[in-house]
Amino acid sequence: VKPLTHFLLSHGLLNFMSKPDFINYNAKYLPLSRRMQRGKRVLCWPIRCEEEEQKALPYVEGYVFENIDPKLK
């Protein structure tokens, strides 16, 4: 991917054209800016332990987990 394309996609600057239903964002880069979120559901990945889950939950509606058994809430 060309550097300009990567920048545009990674900063959500083409979302007005693609109109995503949700944004699946890397948990290590949370919190997500409101400009990028713009009313979309935000999910994150990967959540590998309960500590990462607790850090991510204030910012997301759901997550993709690896090697943990999430507790029902």
Side-chain angles (χ1 to χ4, degrees), residues 2 4 9-10 15 18 20 22 25 30 36 39-41 50 52 54 56 59 62 66 68 72-73:
K2 294 181 180 179
L4 177 59
L9 292 171
S10 65
N15 285 354
S18 62
F22 64 91
Y25 205 65
L30 289 173
M36 181 135 163
K40 304 290 185 238
R41 296 182 67 197
E50 289 185 34
E52 288 179 359
Q54 294 306 314
Y59 307 109
E66 292 180 359
I68 65 169
L72 293 175
K73 296 178 181 168

Side-chain angles (χ1 to χ4, degrees), residues 38-65:
R38 290 196 181 155
K40 304 290 185 238
R41 296 182 67 197
V42 177
L43 308 174
C44 73
W45 58 272
I47 298 297
R48 295 185 179 110
C49 65
E50 289 185 34
E51 181 181 318
E52 288 179 359
E53 177 186 13
Q54 294 306 314
K55 287 180 182 178
L57 282 177
Y59 307 109
V60 300
E61 293 185 40
Y63 54 86
V64 177
F65 56 90

